[in-house]
Coordinates of all heavy atoms in Angstrom, one line a residue:
M1 N -13.3 15.5 -2.0 CA -12.3 15.5 -0.9 C -13.0 15.2 0.4 O -14.2 15.6 0.6 CB -11.5 16.8 -0.8 CG -10.6 17.1 -2.0 SD -9.3 15.9 -2.3 CE -8.0 16.6 -1.5
L2 N -12.4 14.6 1.3 CA -13.0 14.2 2.6 C -12.1 14.8 3.7 O -10.9 15.0 3.6 CB -13.0 12.7 2.8 CG -13.7 11.9 1.7 CD1 -13.4 10.4 1.8 CD2 -15.2 12.1 1.7
K3 N -12.8 15.1 4.8 CA -12.0 15.6 6.0 C -11.5 14.5 6.8 O -12.2 13.5 7.1 CB -13.0 16.5 6.8 CG -13.3 17.8 6.1 CD -14.0 18.8 7.1 CE -14.6 20.0 6.4 NZ -14.0 20.5 5.2
L4 N -10.3 14.7 7.2 CA -9.6 13.7 8.1 C -8.8 14.5 9.2 O -8.0 15.4 8.8 CB -8.7 12.8 7.3 CG -7.7 11.9 8.1 CD1 -8.5 10.9 8.9 CD2 -6.7 11.2 7.2
K5 N -9.1 14.2 10.4 CA -8.3 14.9 11.5 C -7.4 13.8 12.2 O -7.8 12.8 12.6 CB -9.3 15.4 12.6 CG -8.6 16.2 13.6 CD -9.5 16.6 14.7 CE -10.5 17.6 14.3 NZ -10.6 18.8 15.1
I6 N -6.1 14.2 12.2 CA -5.1 13.3 12.8 C -4.4 14.1 13.9 O -3.9 15.2 13.6 CB -4.1 12.7 11.8 CG1 -4.7 12.1 10.6 CG2 -3.2 11.7 12.5 CD1 -3.8 11.6 9.5
I7 N -4.4 13.5 15.1 CA -3.7 14.2 16.2 C -2.4 13.5 16.4 O -2.4 12.3 16.7 CB -4.6 14.2 17.5 CG1 -5.9 14.8 17.2 CG2 -3.8 14.9 18.6 CD1 -7.0 14.5 18.2
G8 N -1.3 14.2 16.2 CA 0.0 13.6 16.3 C 0.4 13.2 17.7 O -0.3 13.6 18.7
N9 N 1.5 12.5 17.9 CA 1.9 12.1 19.2 C 2.5 13.3 20.1 O 2.8 13.1 21.2 CB 2.9 10.9 19.2 CG 4.2 11.2 18.6 OD1 4.4 12.4 18.1 ND2 5.1 10.3 18.5
D10 N 2.6 14.5 19.4 CA 3.0 15.7 20.2 C 1.8 16.6 20.4 O 1.9 17.8 20.7 CB 4.1 16.4 19.4 CG 3.6 16.9 18.0 OD1 2.5 16.5 17.6 OD2 4.3 17.7 17.4
D11 N 0.6 16.0 20.1 CA -0.7 16.7 20.3 C -1.0 17.8 19.2 O -2.0 18.5 19.3 CB -0.9 17.3 21.7 CG -1.1 16.3 22.7 OD1 -1.6 15.2 22.4 OD2 -0.7 16.5 23.9
T12 N -0.2 17.9 18.2 CA -0.5 18.8 17.1 C -1.7 18.2 16.3 O -1.7 17.0 16.0 CB 0.7 18.9 16.1 OG1 1.8 19.3 16.9 CG2 0.4 19.9 15.0
V13 N -2.6 19.1 16.0 CA -3.8 18.6 15.3 C -3.7 18.9 13.8 O -3.4 20.1 13.4 CB -5.1 19.3 15.8 CG1 -6.3 18.9 15.0 CG2 -5.3 19.0 17.3
Y14 N -3.9 17.9 13.0 CA -3.8 18.1 11.5 C -5.2 17.9 10.9 O -5.7 16.8 11.0 CB -2.9 17.0 10.9 CG -1.4 17.2 11.3 CD1 -1.0 16.8 12.6 CD2 -0.5 17.7 10.5 CE1 0.3 16.9 13.0 CE2 0.8 17.9 10.8 CZ 1.2 17.5 12.1 OH 2.5 17.7 12.5
D15 N -5.7 19.0 10.4 CA -7.0 19.0 9.8 C -6.7 18.9 8.3 O -6.3 19.9 7.7 CB -7.8 20.3 10.1 CG -8.5 20.2 11.5 OD1 -9.2 19.1 11.7 OD2 -8.3 21.1 12.3
L16 N -7.0 17.7 7.7 CA -6.6 17.5 6.3 C -7.8 17.3 5.4 O -8.9 16.9 5.9 CB -5.8 16.2 6.3 CG -4.6 16.1 7.3 CD1 -3.9 14.7 7.2 CD2 -3.5 17.2 7.0
E17 N -7.6 17.6 4.2 CA -8.6 17.3 3.1 C -7.9 16.2 2.3 O -6.8 16.4 1.8 CB -8.8 18.5 2.2 CG -9.3 19.7 2.9 CD -10.8 19.8 2.8 OE1 -11.4 19.3 1.8 OE2 -11.5 20.3 3.7
V18 N -8.6 15.1 2.3 CA -7.9 13.9 1.6 C -8.8 13.3 0.5 O -10.0 13.5 0.5 CB -7.5 12.8 2.7 CG1 -6.7 13.5 3.8 CG2 -8.8 12.2 3.3
E19 N -8.1 12.5 -0.3 CA -8.8 11.9 -1.4 C -9.5 10.6 -1.0 O -8.9 9.8 -0.2 CB -7.8 11.6 -2.5 CG -7.6 12.8 -3.4 CD -6.6 12.5 -4.5 OE1 -6.5 11.3 -5.0 OE2 -5.8 13.4 -4.8
E20 N -10.6 10.3 -1.5 CA -11.3 9.1 -1.3 C -10.4 8.0 -1.8 O -9.7 8.1 -2.9 CB -12.6 9.1 -2.1 CG -13.5 7.9 -1.9 CD -14.8 8.0 -2.6 OE1 -15.2 9.1 -3.1 OE2 -15.4 6.9 -2.8
G21 N -10.3 6.9 -1.1 CA -9.5 5.7 -1.5 C -8.1 5.8 -1.0 O -7.4 4.8 -0.9
S22 N -7.7 7.0 -0.4 CA -6.3 7.0 0.2 C -6.5 6.4 1.6 O -7.5 6.4 2.2 CB -5.8 8.4 0.2 OG -6.7 9.2 1.0
T23 N -5.3 6.0 2.1 CA -5.4 5.4 3.5 C -5.0 6.5 4.5 O -4.4 7.5 4.1 CB -4.4 4.2 3.7 OG1 -3.1 4.7 3.6 CG2 -4.7 3.2 2.7
V24 N -5.4 6.3 5.7 CA -5.1 7.3 6.8 C -3.6 7.4 6.9 O -3.0 8.4 7.1 CB -5.8 6.8 8.1 CG1 -5.3 7.7 9.3 CG2 -7.3 6.9 8.0
M25 N -2.9 6.2 6.8 CA -1.5 6.2 6.9 C -0.8 7.1 5.9 O 0.1 7.9 6.1 CB -0.9 4.8 6.9 CG 0.6 4.6 6.9 SD 1.4 4.9 5.3 CE 1.3 3.3 4.6
E26 N -1.2 6.9 4.6 CA -0.6 7.7 3.5 C -0.8 9.2 3.8 O 0.2 9.9 3.5 CB -1.3 7.4 2.2 CG -1.0 6.0 1.6 CD -2.0 5.5 0.5 OE1 -3.0 6.2 0.3 OE2 -1.7 4.5 -0.1
N27 N -1.9 9.6 4.2 CA -2.1 11.0 4.5 C -1.3 11.5 5.7 O -0.8 12.6 5.7 CB -3.6 11.2 4.7 CG -4.4 11.1 3.4 OD1 -4.2 11.8 2.5 ND2 -5.3 10.1 3.4
A28 N -1.2 10.6 6.7 CA -0.3 11.0 7.8 C 1.1 11.2 7.4 O 1.8 12.2 7.7 CB -0.4 9.9 8.9
V29 N 1.6 10.3 6.6 CA 3.0 10.3 6.1 C 3.2 11.6 5.2 O 4.2 12.4 5.4 CB 3.4 9.0 5.4 CG1 4.8 9.2 4.7 CG2 3.5 7.9 6.4
R30 N 2.3 11.7 4.3 CA 2.4 12.8 3.3 C 2.4 14.2 4.0 O 3.0 15.1 3.6 CB 1.2 12.8 2.4 CG 1.3 13.4 1.1 CD 0.1 13.1 0.2 NE 0.1 11.7 -0.2 CZ -1.0 11.1 -0.5 NH1 -2.2 11.6 -0.4 NH2 -0.9 9.8 -0.9
N31 N 1.8 14.3 5.2 CA 1.7 15.6 5.9 C 2.6 15.6 7.1 O 2.6 16.6 7.9 CB 0.2 15.8 6.3 CG -0.7 16.1 5.1 OD1 -0.7 17.2 4.6 ND2 -1.3 15.1 4.6
G32 N 3.5 14.6 7.2 CA 4.5 14.7 8.2 C 4.0 14.6 9.6 O 4.5 15.2 10.6
V33 N 2.9 13.9 9.9 CA 2.3 13.7 11.2 C 3.3 13.0 12.1 O 3.7 11.9 11.7 CB 1.0 13.0 11.2 CG1 0.5 12.7 12.6 CG2 0.0 13.8 10.3
P34 N 3.7 13.5 13.2 CA 4.7 12.9 14.0 C 4.1 11.6 14.7 O 3.0 11.6 15.1 CB 5.1 13.9 15.1 CG 4.0 14.9 15.1 CD 3.3 14.9 13.8
G35 N 5.0 10.5 14.7 CA 4.6 9.3 15.4 C 4.1 8.2 14.5 O 3.8 7.1 14.9
I36 N 3.9 8.5 13.2 CA 3.6 7.5 12.2 C 4.8 7.0 11.5 O 5.4 7.8 10.7 CB 2.5 7.9 11.2 CG1 1.1 8.2 11.9 CG2 2.3 6.9 10.1 CD1 0.4 7.0 12.4
V37 N 5.3 5.8 11.8 CA 6.5 5.4 11.2 C 6.3 4.7 9.8 O 7.0 4.9 8.9 CB 7.3 4.4 12.2 CG1 8.6 4.0 11.6 CG2 7.5 5.1 13.5
A38 N 5.3 3.8 9.8 CA 4.8 3.1 8.6 C 6.0 2.4 7.9 O 6.2 2.5 6.7 CB 4.1 4.1 7.7
E39 N 6.7 1.6 8.7 CA 7.9 0.9 8.3 C 7.7 0.1 7.0 O 8.6 0.0 6.1 CB 8.4 0.1 9.4 CG 9.9 0.1 9.7 CD 10.1 -0.5 11.0 OE1 9.8 -1.7 11.2 OE2 10.6 0.3 11.9
C40 N 6.6 -0.6 6.9 CA 6.4 -1.6 5.8 C 5.7 -0.9 4.6 O 5.4 -1.6 3.6 CB 5.6 -2.8 6.3 SG 3.8 -2.5 6.5
G41 N 5.4 0.3 4.7 CA 4.8 1.1 3.6 C 3.4 0.7 3.3 O 2.9 1.0 2.2
G42 N 2.7 0.1 4.3 CA 1.3 -0.1 4.1 C 0.9 -1.6 3.8 O -0.2 -1.8 3.3
A43 N 1.8 -2.5 4.0 CA 1.6 -3.9 3.7 C 1.0 -4.7 4.8 O 0.9 -5.9 4.7 CB 2.9 -4.5 3.2
C44 N 0.6 -4.0 5.9 CA 0.0 -4.7 7.1 C 1.0 -5.7 7.6 O 0.7 -6.8 8.0 CB -1.3 -5.4 6.7 SG -2.2 -5.8 8.2
A45 N 2.3 -5.2 7.7 CA 3.4 -6.1 8.1 C 4.3 -5.5 9.2 O 5.4 -6.0 9.4 CB 4.2 -6.6 6.9
C46 N 3.8 -4.4 9.8 CA 4.8 -3.8 10.8 C 4.1 -3.3 12.1 O 4.8 -3.3 13.1 CB 5.6 -2.7 10.1 SG 4.6 -1.2 9.9
A47 N 2.9 -2.8 12.0 CA 2.2 -2.3 13.2 C 2.8 -0.9 13.7 O 2.6 -0.5 14.8 CB 2.1 -3.2 14.4
T48 N 3.6 -0.3 12.8 CA 4.1 1.1 13.2 C 3.3 2.2 12.6 O 3.8 3.3 12.6 CB 5.6 1.2 12.9 OG1 5.8 1.1 11.4 CG2 6.5 0.2 13.5
C49 N 2.1 1.9 12.2 CA 1.2 2.9 11.8 C -0.1 2.9 12.7 O -1.1 3.3 12.3 CB 0.8 2.7 10.3 SG -0.1 1.2 10.1
H50 N 0.1 2.4 13.9 CA -1.0 2.2 14.9 C -1.6 3.6 15.2 O -0.9 4.5 15.5 CB -0.3 1.5 16.1 CG -1.2 1.4 17.3 ND1 -0.7 1.3 18.6 CD2 -2.5 1.2 17.4 CE1 -1.7 1.1 19.4 NE2 -2.8 1.1 18.7
V51 N -2.9 3.6 15.2 CA -3.7 4.8 15.7 C -4.8 4.4 16.6 O -5.3 3.2 16.5 CB -4.2 5.6 14.5 CG1 -3.1 6.3 13.7 CG2 -5.2 4.8 13.6
Y52 N -5.3 5.3 17.3 CA -6.6 5.1 18.1 C -7.7 5.9 17.3 O -7.5 7.1 17.1 CB -6.5 5.7 19.5 CG -5.4 5.1 20.3 CD1 -4.4 5.8 20.9 CD2 -5.3 3.7 20.5 CE1 -3.3 5.3 21.6 CE2 -4.3 3.1 21.2 CZ -3.3 3.9 21.8 OH -2.3 3.3 22.5
V53 N -8.7 5.1 17.0 CA -9.8 5.8 16.3 C -10.7 6.4 17.3 O -11.0 5.8 18.4 CB -10.6 4.7 15.5 CG1 -11.9 5.3 14.9 CG2 -9.8 4.1 14.4
D54 N -11.1 7.7 17.1 CA -11.9 8.4 18.0 C -13.2 7.5 18.4 O -13.8 6.9 17.5 CB -12.4 9.7 17.3 CG -13.1 10.6 18.2 OD1 -14.4 10.4 18.4 OD2 -12.5 11.5 18.8
E55 N -13.5 7.5 19.6 CA -14.6 6.7 20.1 C -15.9 6.8 19.3 O -16.6 5.9 19.0 CB -15.0 7.0 21.6 CG -13.8 6.9 22.6 CD -13.4 5.4 22.9 OE1 -14.3 4.5 22.5 OE2 -12.4 5.2 23.4
E56 N -16.2 8.1 18.9 CA -17.3 8.4 18.2 C -17.3 7.7 16.8 O -18.4 7.5 16.2 CB -17.3 9.9 17.9 CG -18.6 10.6 18.1 CD -18.4 12.1 18.0 OE1 -18.5 12.6 16.9 OE2 -18.1 12.7 19.0
W57 N -16.2 7.4 16.3 CA -16.0 6.8 14.9 C -15.8 5.3 14.9 O -15.9 4.7 13.8 CB -14.9 7.6 14.2 CG -15.2 8.9 13.8 CD1 -15.1 10.1 14.4 CD2 -15.9 9.2 12.5 NE1 -15.6 11.1 13.7 CE2 -16.1 10.6 12.5 CE3 -16.4 8.5 11.5 CZ2 -16.7 11.2 11.4 CZ3 -17.0 9.1 10.4 CH2 -17.1 10.4 10.4
F58 N -15.4 4.8 16.0 CA -14.9 3.4 16.0 C -15.9 2.4 15.4 O -15.6 1.6 14.6 CB -14.4 2.9 17.3 CG -13.7 1.6 17.2 CD1 -12.4 1.6 16.6 CD2 -14.3 0.4 17.6 CE1 -11.7 0.4 16.5 CE2 -13.5 -0.7 17.5 CZ -12.3 -0.8 16.9
E59 N -17.2 2.6 15.8 CA -18.2 1.7 15.3 C -18.3 1.7 13.7 O -18.4 0.7 13.0 CB -19.5 2.0 15.9 CG -20.4 0.7 16.0 CD -21.7 1.0 16.8 OE1 -21.5 1.5 17.9 OE2 -22.8 0.7 16.3
K60 N -18.3 3.0 13.2 CA -18.4 3.2 11.8 C -17.2 2.6 11.1 O -17.4 2.0 10.0 CB -18.6 4.7 11.5 CG -19.1 5.0 10.2 CD -19.4 6.4 10.0 CE -20.9 6.7 10.0 NZ -21.2 8.0 9.7
V61 N -16.0 2.8 11.6 CA -14.8 2.3 10.9 C -14.8 0.8 11.0 O -14.3 0.2 10.1 CB -13.6 3.0 11.5 CG1 -12.3 2.4 11.0 CG2 -13.6 4.5 11.3
G62 N -15.2 0.3 12.1 CA -15.3 -1.2 12.2 C -14.1 -1.8 12.8 O -13.0 -1.2 13.0
E63 N -14.2 -3.1 13.0 CA -13.2 -4.0 13.6 C -12.1 -4.3 12.6 O -12.5 -4.3 11.4 CB -13.8 -5.3 14.1 CG -14.9 -5.2 15.2 CD -14.3 -4.9 16.5 OE1 -13.1 -5.2 16.8 OE2 -15.0 -4.2 17.3
P64 N -10.9 -4.6 13.0 CA -9.9 -5.0 12.0 C -10.1 -6.3 11.4 O -10.8 -7.2 12.1 CB -8.6 -5.0 12.8 CG -9.0 -5.0 14.3 CD -10.4 -4.4 14.4
E65 N -9.7 -6.5 10.2 CA -9.7 -7.9 9.6 C -8.7 -8.8 10.4 O -7.8 -8.3 11.0 CB -9.2 -7.8 8.1 CG -10.1 -6.9 7.2 CD -11.4 -7.6 6.9 OE1 -11.4 -8.8 6.7 OE2 -12.5 -6.9 6.9
P66 N -8.9 -10.1 10.2 CA -8.0 -11.0 11.0 C -6.5 -10.8 10.8 O -5.7 -10.8 11.8 CB -8.4 -12.4 10.5 CG -9.8 -12.3 10.0 CD -9.9 -10.8 9.5
M67 N -6.0 -10.4 9.6 CA -4.6 -10.2 9.3 C -4.1 -9.0 10.1 O -3.1 -9.0 10.7 CB -4.4 -10.1 7.9 CG -3.0 -10.0 7.4 SD -2.9 -10.0 5.6 CE -1.5 -8.9 5.4
E68 N -5.0 -8.0 10.1 CA -4.6 -6.7 10.8 C -4.6 -7.0 12.3 O -3.7 -6.5 13.0 CB -5.6 -5.6 10.4 CG -5.3 -4.3 11.2 CD -6.4 -3.2 10.9 OE1 -7.1 -3.3 10.0 OE2 -6.4 -2.3 11.7
E69 N -5.6 -7.8 12.8 CA -5.7 -8.1 14.2 C -4.4 -8.8 14.7 O -3.9 -8.5 15.8 CB -6.9 -8.9 14.4 CG -7.4 -8.7 15.8 CD -8.8 -9.3 16.0 OE1 -9.5 -9.5 15.0 OE2 -9.2 -9.4 17.2
D70 N -3.9 -9.7 13.9 CA -2.7 -10.4 14.2 C -1.5 -9.5 14.4 O -0.7 -9.5 15.3 CB -2.3 -11.5 13.2 CG -3.2 -12.7 13.3 OD1 -4.0 -12.8 14.3 OD2 -3.2 -13.5 12.3
M71 N -1.4 -8.5 13.4 CA -0.4 -7.6 13.4 C -0.5 -6.6 14.6 O 0.5 -6.2 15.1 CB -0.4 -6.8 12.0 CG 0.9 -6.3 11.6 SD 2.4 -7.1 12.0 CE 2.5 -8.5 10.9
L72 N -1.7 -6.3 14.9 CA -1.9 -5.3 16.0 C -1.3 -5.8 17.4 O -1.0 -5.1 18.3 CB -3.4 -5.0 16.2 CG -4.0 -3.9 15.4 CD1 -5.5 -3.9 15.5 CD2 -3.5 -2.5 15.9
D73 N -1.2 -7.2 17.5 CA -0.6 -7.7 18.7 C 0.8 -7.2 18.9 O 1.3 -7.2 20.0 CB -0.5 -9.3 18.6 CG -1.9 -9.9 18.7 OD1 -2.8 -9.2 19.2 OD2 -2.0 -11.1 18.3
F74 N 1.4 -6.7 17.9 CA 2.8 -6.1 18.0 C 2.8 -4.7 18.4 O 3.9 -4.1 18.6 CB 3.6 -6.4 16.7 CG 3.8 -7.8 16.4 CD1 3.0 -8.5 15.5 CD2 4.9 -8.5 17.0 CE1 3.2 -9.8 15.2 CE2 5.1 -9.9 16.7 CZ 4.2 -10.5 15.8
A75 N 1.6 -4.1 18.4 CA 1.5 -2.6 18.7 C 1.7 -2.4 20.2 O 1.4 -3.3 21.0 CB 0.2 -2.1 18.3
V76 N 2.3 -1.3 20.5 CA 2.5 -0.9 21.9 C 1.2 -0.2 22.4 O 0.6 0.5 21.7 CB 3.7 0.1 22.1 CG1 3.8 0.6 23.5 CG2 4.9 -0.5 21.5
D77 N 0.8 -0.5 23.7 CA -0.4 0.1 24.3 C -1.6 -0.1 23.5 O -2.3 0.9 23.1 CB -0.1 1.6 24.6 CG -1.1 2.2 25.6 OD1 -1.9 1.4 26.2 OD2 -1.1 3.4 25.7
L78 N -1.9 -1.3 23.2 CA -3.1 -1.7 22.4 C -4.4 -1.3 23.2 O -4.5 -1.6 24.4 CB -3.0 -3.1 22.1 CG -3.9 -3.7 21.0 CD1 -3.5 -3.1 19.7 CD2 -3.8 -5.2 21.0
R79 N -5.3 -0.7 22.5 CA -6.6 -0.4 23.1 C -7.8 -1.0 22.3 O -7.5 -1.4 21.1 CB -6.8 1.1 23.3 CG -5.7 1.7 24.2 CD -5.9 3.1 24.4 NE -4.7 3.7 25.0 CZ -4.5 5.0 25.1 NH1 -5.3 5.9 24.6 NH2 -3.4 5.4 25.7
A80 N -9.0 -0.9 22.8 CA -10.1 -1.4 22.1 C -10.4 -0.7 20.8 O -10.9 -1.3 19.9 CB -11.4 -1.3 23.0
N81 N -9.9 0.6 20.7 CA -10.2 1.3 19.5 C -8.9 1.4 18.7 O -8.8 2.4 17.8 CB -10.7 2.7 19.8 CG -9.7 3.5 20.8 OD1 -8.9 2.9 21.5 ND2 -9.9 4.8 20.8
S82 N -8.0 0.5 18.8 CA -6.7 0.5 18.0 C -7.0 0.0 16.6 O -7.7 -1.0 16.4 CB -5.7 -0.5 18.7 OG -5.2 0.1 19.9
R83 N -6.4 0.6 15.6 CA -6.4 0.1 14.3 C -5.0 0.5 13.6 O -4.3 1.3 14.1 CB -7.5 0.8 13.4 CG -8.9 0.4 13.8 CD -9.3 -1.0 13.3 NE -8.9 -1.3 12.0 CZ -9.7 -1.2 10.9 NH1 -11.0 -0.8 11.1 NH2 -9.3 -1.5 9.7
L84 N -4.7 -0.2 12.6 CA -3.5 0.1 11.8 C -4.0 1.1 10.7 O -4.9 0.8 9.9 CB -2.9 -1.1 11.2 CG -2.3 -2.1 12.2 CD1 -1.7 -3.3 11.5 CD2 -1.3 -1.4 13.0
S85 N -3.4 2.3 10.7 CA -3.9 3.3 9.8 C -3.8 3.0 8.3 O -4.4 3.6 7.5 CB -3.3 4.7 10.2 OG -1.9 4.6 10.0
C86 N -2.9 2.1 8.0 CA -2.7 1.8 6.5 C -3.9 0.9 6.1 O -4.0 0.6 4.9 CB -1.4 1.1 6.3 SG -1.2 -0.6 6.9
Q87 N -4.7 0.4 7.0 CA -5.8 -0.5 6.6 C -7.1 0.3 6.7 O -8.2 -0.4 6.6 CB -5.8 -1.7 7.6 CG -4.5 -2.5 7.5 CD -4.2 -3.0 6.1 OE1 -5.0 -3.7 5.5 NE2 -3.0 -2.7 5.7
I88 N -7.1 1.6 6.9 CA -8.3 2.3 6.9 C -8.3 3.2 5.6 O -7.5 4.1 5.5 CB -8.4 3.3 8.1 CG1 -8.3 2.5 9.4 CG2 -9.8 4.0 8.0 CD1 -8.2 3.4 10.7
N89 N -9.1 2.8 4.7 CA -9.3 3.5 3.4 C -10.4 4.6 3.5 O -11.5 4.2 4.0 CB -9.7 2.5 2.3 CG -8.5 1.7 1.8 OD1 -7.6 2.3 1.2 ND2 -8.5 0.5 2.1
M90 N -10.0 5.8 3.2 CA -11.0 6.8 3.3 C -12.1 6.6 2.3 O -11.9 6.4 1.1 CB -10.3 8.2 3.1 CG -9.4 8.6 4.2 SD -10.2 8.7 5.8 CE -11.3 10.1 5.6
R91 N -13.4 6.7 2.8 CA -14.5 6.7 1.9 C -15.6 7.7 2.4 O -15.4 8.2 3.5 CB -15.1 5.2 1.8 CG -15.1 4.5 3.1 CD -15.6 3.1 2.7 NE -16.3 2.4 3.8 CZ -15.8 1.3 4.4 NH1 -14.7 0.7 4.0 NH2 -16.5 0.7 5.3
P92 N -16.6 8.0 1.6 CA -17.5 9.1 2.0 C -18.1 8.9 3.4 O -18.2 9.9 4.1 CB -18.6 9.0 0.9 CG -17.9 8.4 -0.3 CD -16.9 7.4 0.3
E93 N -18.3 7.7 3.8 CA -18.9 7.6 5.2 C -17.9 8.0 6.3 O -18.3 8.2 7.4 CB -19.3 6.2 5.6 CG -20.0 5.3 4.6 CD -19.2 4.7 3.6 OE1 -18.8 5.3 2.6 OE2 -18.9 3.5 3.7
F94 N -16.6 8.1 5.9 CA -15.6 8.5 6.9 C -15.3 10.0 6.9 O -14.3 10.4 7.5 CB -14.3 7.7 6.7 CG -14.5 6.2 6.9 CD1 -13.5 5.3 6.5 CD2 -15.7 5.6 7.4 CE1 -13.6 3.9 6.7 CE2 -15.8 4.2 7.5 CZ -14.8 3.4 7.2
D95 N -16.1 10.7 6.2 CA -15.8 12.2 6.1 C -15.9 12.8 7.5 O -16.9 12.7 8.2 CB -16.9 12.8 5.2 CG -16.6 14.3 4.9 OD1 -15.4 14.7 5.0 OD2 -17.5 15.0 4.5
G96 N -14.8 13.3 8.0 CA -14.7 13.9 9.3 C -14.0 13.0 10.3 O -13.9 13.4 11.5
L97 N -13.6 11.9 9.9 CA -12.9 10.9 10.8 C -11.8 11.5 11.6 O -11.0 12.4 11.1 CB -12.3 9.8 9.9 CG -11.5 8.7 10.7 CD1 -12.4 7.9 11.6 CD2 -10.9 7.7 9.6
T98 N -11.7 11.1 12.9 CA -10.6 11.6 13.8 C -9.9 10.4 14.3 O -10.5 9.5 14.8 CB -11.2 12.4 14.9 OG1 -12.0 13.5 14.3 CG2 -10.2 13.0 15.8
V99 N -8.6 10.5 14.2 CA -7.7 9.4 14.8 C -6.6 10.1 15.6 O -6.2 11.2 15.3 CB -7.1 8.4 13.8 CG1 -8.2 7.8 13.0 CG2 -6.1 9.1 12.9
R100 N -6.1 9.4 16.6 CA -5.0 9.9 17.4 C -3.8 9.0 17.3 O -3.9 7.7 17.4 CB -5.4 10.0 18.9 CG -4.3 10.5 19.8 CD -4.9 10.6 21.2 NE -5.5 11.9 21.4 CZ -4.8 13.0 21.8 NH1 -3.5 12.9 21.9 NH2 -5.4 14.1 21.9
V101 N -2.6 9.5 17.2 CA -1.4 8.7 17.1 C -0.9 8.4 18.6 O -0.9 9.3 19.4 CB -0.3 9.5 16.4 CG1 1.0 8.7 16.3 CG2 -0.7 9.8 15.0
P102 N -0.6 7.1 18.9 CA -0.2 6.8 20.2 C 1.2 7.4 20.5 O 1.9 7.8 19.6 CB -0.1 5.3 20.3 CG 0.0 4.9 18.8 CD -0.7 5.9 18.0
D103 N 1.6 7.5 21.8 CA 2.9 8.1 22.2 C 4.1 7.3 21.5 O 5.1 7.9 21.2 CB 3.1 8.0 23.7 CG 2.1 9.0 24.4 OD1 1.6 9.9 23.7 OD2 1.9 8.8 25.6
E104 N 3.9 6.0 21.4 CA 5.0 5.2 20.9 C 4.5 4.2 19.9 O 3.4 3.7 20.0 CB 5.5 4.3 22.1 CG 6.8 4.6 22.6 CD 7.2 3.6 23.7 OE1 6.7 3.8 24.9 OE2 7.8 2.6 23.4
Q105 N 5.4 3.9 19.0 CA 5.0 2.8 18.0 C 5.9 1.6 18.4 O 7.0 1.7 19.0 CB 5.3 3.2 16.6 CG 4.5 4.3 16.1 CD 3.0 3.9 15.8 OE1 2.6 2.8 15.9 NE2 2.2 4.9 15.4
G106 N 5.5 0.4 18.0 CA 6.2 -0.9 18.4 C 7.5 -1.0 17.6 O 7.8 -0.3 16.7
Ligands
FES201 S1 2.4 0.6 7.5 FE1 3.1 -1.3 8.2 S2 1.3 -2.1 9.1 FE2 0.6 -0.2 8.4

């Protein structure tokens, strides 16, 4: 199991133990994290699973793939550390990852 911290849009902190291979979005939905809508169910077709990756982690998690980048254009309040949480698969190097849910989804 890997550690994942998600801060909801109401500032509630969710310290989760998650399975390798699961996505950040799946874990957010499963644990009822407020602010993750995930309308398309993880198909990279909605941008309502937008999160900000903690600055400390952004380099490790890396830049979005071109398809995700196109979809991110629909996200509200896009920042340099924006990612779609359904496109972040948990793997051992991401143990301890922290992401924050924006106030609003697109
Ligand atoms: S859930 Fe739709 S893009 Fe992530």
